Amino acid sequence: MFTQRYSVTPHPVETLLTWVKSGEIAIPEIQRPFVWEATKVRNLLDSLYHGYPVGYLIAWRNPTVRLKDGTHSAGKRILIDGQQRVTSLMAALLGREVLTKDYETVRIKIAFHPLEEKFEVSNPAIQKNSAWIPDVAELFAPNVKLLQLTKAYAESNPAVNADEIFGTVERLRNIVNNHVGVIELAEDLDIETVTEIFIRVNSAGAELSQADFAMSKIAANETYGGNLLRRAIDYFCHLSVSPEFHGRIEKGDPSFAASEFFPKMAWVKDCNDDIYEPSYTDMLRVAFTSEFRRGKLQDLVALLSGRNFETKQYEDAIAEKSFERLKNGILNFINKTHFERLVMILRSAGFITSDLISGQNAVNFAYILHLRGKAEQMPPAEIEKVVRRWFVMSVLTSLYTGSPETTFDFDIRQIEANGLVGFTSSVIDAQLSDGFWSTLLPQEMETSSSTSPYFLVFKAAQVKLNDKGFLSRDITVQDLILNQSDVHHLFPRNHLKMKGLNRGRYNQIANYAITQSEINIAICDKSPSIYFKELSNQCQGGKKKYGGITSLAELKSNLAEHCIPESVFGELAEDYDHFLEERRKLMAARIRFYFDKL
């Protein structure tokens, strides 16, 4: 029979806030960042105000647990579950700033309407409205005088009853007397067991991913440096989004700053490229798959625990080796040369901005291929070609959008069995057959989404092929994407609306073209039969209305780059459906031409 390893004690909210202010509550490395939306903070206060239960917290006292700042817990209560609620109370009632999942430091202000007794996320309109108390934190300030605050409120709202307002505000202040159950785990539990509790508890609520499980496992291990490795992963992801965070790491976490990881990621502080901003899930997938030749992160959790897949036993030697290999994978990931080379390869394929990249997992596997190619000591030019072609193929076929881990696992095992070049070449040939280019791709391009992978690849192709903007003589598609451009409807939207077509019909990617704003404005709502006729006259000495093209040869070249059939000067100018059908075929052929040059 197992002994109960915990006790349950109700504590007033005020006690929790005292623990926060004194630093007695600590957040361990196995916890996640603050991810709640401000509306959930509002709802928490509303529940407390109405006397509703707000769930349990789980805490653990252990002097050896490492915290987020790298220090040890030394007598503190380690918060295993309930970080979001405690952080919400800290933010809303104490006025503390919080660090969000996007690595932004923010103040979450919750407003209160005493007459209606309701809460709302504070905003400029509320702050200007005297009926609201714009920030409830001022009610919980140590030196606040409720009588003076009530008088000031009544003066700003003459119609209210000051006594009633005082009573309502006092009720709000009294939410700190509401009790929250705190489950205290036994002090002699080891970190592995507590991590398992953390995973099980959180799995019952907002489901954790395998990456979360892996991060918990990594952070819980100090024997093989997991706690340091976990910070390396988290900090690199943070820096890729906010390079200025480098200084805060240096000052706030001196033990990490002195580690081997910090100098190897210092280059990120000077990087302003947003093409690839990896999350910790991305880092784990790339590092694990490239280093272990496996794709399922549940296997990583097992290996870090020391699981021997053959004997089904757990061995310290396997755990030690697994941490060593994962560390090597992370160091390869954050390597400046490796990372920048991947970004360069993506750019060389025409994907010059993050807006052109729709799937992060396609980028992740491209990075895996790059690292595998480096490990196999392939010539750099050959690695670049393989990565470019595989990346575009995987985007066009949505290879990693369904079950990425399963696909990662299959692909990396096939690479190990058949070689990098042999496997990628055979898959590309099979996926991008003649039938794909001539039939399947044109069919798939019947979509209205401007963020569809087909339109994004088409734009990347135009960048790579140095195409000019629609009806531009000198300005390229690349110039327009990097600066300012319009997505022009070749059959103008309002022109089609007047013919009774709905949004899904007039917003077709085969009706889109990248152009300069002034050209788009000049065309306005004119039908193709009108403005293409005017273009023809412009190229034969007539008035210049649309861009700088003045010769028929230049015009035909521009239309060819944008896959616009020349018959648009004739019967296609009035046959929208036939125009779309013909242009999809030309766009698919243009993408194939581009792909063959990669």
Side-chain angles (χ1 to χ4, degrees):
M1 181 177 178
F2 290 103
T3 305
Q4 182 170 299
R5 310 303 303 279
Y6 64 90
S7 61
V8 183
T9 309
H11 289 282
V13 169
E14 186 171 28
T15 299
L16 301 181
L17 294 176
T18 300
W19 289 347
V20 170
K21 287 185 281 190
S22 66
E24 188 172 343
I25 279 187
I27 299 171
E29 286 194 344
I30 62 174
Q31 276 282 22
R32 294 171 288 170
F34 186 69
V35 297
W36 273 18
E37 299 292 337
T39 52
K40 294 194 72 172
V41 180
R42 175 202 65 193
N43 294 343
L44 176 66
L45 292 192
D46 187 67
S47 293
L48 286 169
Y49 183 75
H50 287 95
Y52 300 154
V54 293
Y56 285 89
L57 308 179
I58 300 181
W60 175 50
R61 285 186 181 274
N62 186 296
T64 64
V65 175
R66 193 173 294 275
L67 307 178
K68 277 185 176 292
D69 61 2
T71 62
H72 284 85
S73 55
K76 298 177 181 179
R77 279 183 169 83
I78 310 303
L79 196 60
I80 301 303
D81 186 61
Q83 177 193 353
Q84 307 301 314
R85 282 166 288 162
V86 170
T87 305
S88 295
L89 293 173
M90 177 187 79
L93 303 186
L94 300 182
R96 301 277 185 92
E97 291 184 331
V98 297
L99 191 68
T100 70
K101 60 183 178 181
D102 298 318
Y103 304 110
E104 295 178 334
T105 302
V106 299
R107 258 283 278 124
I108 299 175
K109 295 182 181 180
I110 304 300
F112 180 65
H113 197 301
L115 294 175
E116 299 178 4
E117 296 186 66
K118 73 176 184 179
F119 296 87
E120 195 52 77
V121 179
S122 193
N123 58 49
I126 284 176
Q127 291 165 14
K128 293 176 183 177
N129 189 337
S130 61
W132 288 86
I133 296 173
D135 184 1
V136 297
E138 60 185 272
L139 299 178
F140 294 87
N143 300 320
V144 67
K145 296 181 179 178
L146 288 189
L147 193 57
Q148 289 183 4
L149 189 147
T150 304
K151 281 184 64 178
Y153 183 88
E155 289 173 2
S156 300
N157 300 273
V160 306
N161 183 309
D163 289 338
E164 289 183 5
I165 296 300
F166 183 85
T168 301
V169 171
E170 194 170 37
R171 279 198 297 278
L172 174 56
R173 281 269 301 176
N174 284 335
I175 66 172
V176 297
N177 297 322
N178 291 21
H179 283 74
V180 177
V182 179
I183 299 172
E184 298 262 10
L185 300 179
E187 293 185 18
D188 60 347
L189 291 176
D190 57 58
I191 184 64
E192 296 283 335
T193 304
V194 174
T195 299
E196 178 66 20
I197 293 171
F198 166 73
I199 290 172
R200 291 188 183 193
V201 167
N202 281 279
S203 294
E207 185 177 349
L208 296 177
S209 68
Q210 288 294 339
D212 290 313
F213 290 5
M215 288 292 274
S216 298
K217 197 70 182 177
I218 293 165
N221 185 288
E222 295 191 28
T223 304
Y224 306 127
N227 56 306
L228 194 63
L229 188 59
R230 196 259 187 216
R231 278 184 282 161
I233 296 168
D234 194 41
Y235 284 155
F236 185 86
C237 294
H238 195 152
L239 285 171
S240 69
V241 176
S242 304
E244 65 278 4
F245 192 68
H246 180 271
R248 290 179 59 180
I249 299 173
E250 197 168 27
K251 293 178 182 178
D253 193 347
S255 65
F256 183 81
S259 74
E260 64 179 301
F261 293 102
F262 190 59
K264 291 178 181 177
M265 64 174 68
W267 62 271
V268 188
K269 75 178 187 299
D270 301 315
C271 178
N272 295 308
D273 200 320
D274 67 347
I275 284 182
Y276 186 35
E277 293 180 341
S279 66
Y280 63 81
T281 302
D282 299 320
M283 282 189 73
L284 284 177
R285 280 183 174 160
V286 172
F288 173 61
T289 303
S290 61
E291 188 67 26
F292 289 76
R293 283 65 148 175
R294 292 172 176 266
K296 295 182 179 180
L297 289 179
Q298 67 185 38
D299 289 348
L300 174 59
V301 176
L303 287 164
L304 295 177
S305 301
R307 182 174 176 80
N308 185 319
F309 287 105
E310 293 181 2
T311 65
K312 312 300 183 185
Q313 301 298 312
Y314 289 86
E315 304 169 14
D316 287 342
I318 290 178
E320 182 177 11
K321 183 64 175 177
S322 297
F323 271 96
E324 182 183 334
R325 292 178 69 183
L326 181 61
K327 175 184 173 182
N328 188 56
I330 294 299
L331 287 173
N332 280 330
F333 187 102
I334 69 177
N335 179 279
K336 182 176 187 286
T337 301
H338 295 165
F339 196 93
E340 289 186 340
R341 187 59 56 87
L342 172 71
V343 172
M344 181 195 73
I345 293 170
L346 296 177
R347 286 185 178 279
S348 71
F351 295 86
I352 54 174
T353 69
S354 59
D355 292 338
L356 294 178
I357 297 175
S358 60
Q360 195 83 324
N361 278 318
V363 180
N364 291 339
F365 205 82
Y367 202 0
I368 291 165
L369 291 182
H370 175 66
L371 294 175
R372 292 301 306 133
K374 293 285 289 185
E376 293 180 15
Q377 298 183 326
M378 287 172 56
E382 190 171 359
I383 295 175
E384 292 164 17
K385 182 177 181 179
V386 166
V387 173
R388 267 194 302 269
R389 289 169 63 82
W390 186 270
F391 174 73
V392 175
M393 180 278 296
S394 64
V395 172
L396 283 174
T397 58
S398 301
L399 186 61
Y400 299 115
T401 57
S403 303
E405 286 197 358
T406 301
T407 311
F408 274 34
D409 193 62
F410 176 82
D411 287 348
I412 197 66
R413 290 176 188 272
Q414 290 298 309
I415 288 170
E416 288 304 298
N418 302 295
L420 182 57
V421 175
F423 172 69
T424 55
S425 297
S426 64
V427 171
I428 288 171
D429 289 343
Q431 292 284 343
L432 305 185
S433 63
D434 289 341
F436 172 85
W437 296 114
S438 63
T439 304
L440 184 58
L441 182 56
Q443 289 175 352
E444 294 292 329
M445 293 176 80
E446 190 174 344
T447 174
S448 61
S449 174
S450 61
T451 59
S452 78
Y454 317 112
F455 190 55
L456 296 179
V457 173
F458 179 70
K459 289 196 287 185
Q462 290 198 291
V463 171
K464 176 72 173 176
L465 297 172
N466 202 35
D467 292 344
K468 301 292 194 300
F470 176 59
L471 302 185
S472 295
R473 192 188 70 176
D474 303 301
I475 306 298
T476 65
V477 170
Q478 176 169 324
D479 295 330
L480 293 171
I481 288 174
L482 289 176
N483 294 285
Q484 185 176 3
S485 65
D486 283 357
V487 176
H488 169 64
H489 288 66
L490 295 167
F491 276 65
R493 183 168 39 199
N494 287 335
H495 167 70
L496 294 175
K497 278 184 178 180
M498 288 186 287
K499 288 181 174 291
L501 275 68
N502 60 30
R503 180 180 298 178
R505 294 269 284 111
Y506 59 71
N507 282 341
Q508 285 286 307
I509 65 173
N511 195 30
Y512 299 153
I514 305 300
T515 191
Q516 296 169 237
S517 298
E518 54 270 29
I519 293 175
N520 194 21
I521 292 169
I523 293 173
C524 193
D525 299 332
K526 295 175 185 175
S527 72
S529 60
I530 293 175
Y531 78 83
F532 273 101
K533 183 177 180 180
E534 291 174 336
L535 272 168
S536 181
N537 292 336
Q538 175 177 316
C539 293
Q540 297 178 66
K543 184 178 180 182
K544 192 184 296 184
K545 291 187 175 182
Y546 312 111
I549 294 176
T550 55
S551 77
L552 285 174
E554 284 183 322
L555 179 58
K556 289 181 179 180
S557 175
N558 186 267
L559 296 183
E561 290 177 348
H562 287 271
C563 306
I564 299 170
E566 287 190 26
S567 49
V568 76
F569 288 102
E571 70 274 10
L572 283 190
E574 293 296 340
D575 191 342
Y576 179 58
D577 288 332
H578 190 199
F579 169 81
L580 293 180
E581 184 180 344
E582 291 302 308
R583 189 167 186 242
R584 289 185 192 113
K585 294 176 184 176
L586 294 174
M587 291 172 73
R590 186 75 170 164
I591 295 173
R592 183 176 192 176
F593 176 73
Y594 145 81
F595 186 80
D596 289 342
K597 287 183 171 291
L598 291 177

